[in-house]
Amino acid sequence: EEVDVDINENDIEMETMRSSGAGGQSVQKNETAVRLIHRGTNQCVVCNFSQAALGREQRRGCRHQLRDAIVAKTTAARITR
C-alpha cells in the first residue's frame, strides 16, 4: 500500500552547519551539511555534502530523504496497529 504524505514547507525547520570528518581545510570553512526537522512528526534528517556549496539541488535531495523517513515512520505505525 502506497502512503501519500503532504509536507507543508512551513513545518520544516532547516539548519546549516559545518560538516565533520576528513576532507581538508575547506570542510571546516564551508557549511556543507543540512539538518531538516519536521515539526509535525519530530523527524530529523542530516545530509552531508562533500565540499559542495549548499545549493538548491542538495536541499531538494535532503527534503526527499526527510519525506522518505516520514513515510517509513507512518507505514511502520500503520503496520503495528
Side-chain angles (χ1 to χ4, degrees):
E1 179 181 334
E2 188 173 319
V3 178
D4 186 29
V5 176
D6 185 31
I7 301 174
N8 186 348
E9 289 294 320
N10 294 330
D11 292 340
I12 298 176
E13 179 181 338
M14 180 175 60
E15 300 173 357
T16 58
M17 57 195 148
R18 292 186 177 105
S19 182
S20 63
Q25 294 173 342
S26 62
V27 171
Q28 303 302 323
K29 294 178 191 173
N30 300 328
E31 302 225 337
T32 57
V34 174
R35 177 185 298 131
L36 294 181
I37 303 168
H38 184 253
R39 293 184 188 121
T41 59
N42 206 26
Q43 189 72 35
C44 178
V45 174
V46 177
C47 303
N48 291 315
F49 307 103
S50 61
Q51 297 186 3
L54 289 174
R56 188 174 297 146
E57 293 299 317
Q58 288 86 0
R59 289 184 177 125
R60 185 178 299 146
C62 199
R63 281 191 178 96
H64 285 296
Q65 287 184 14
L66 178 63
R67 183 191 176 283
D68 292 344
I70 292 170
V71 167
K73 186 175 184 177
T74 304
T75 304
R78 287 184 182 184
I79 290 173
T80 57
R81 285 187 200 173

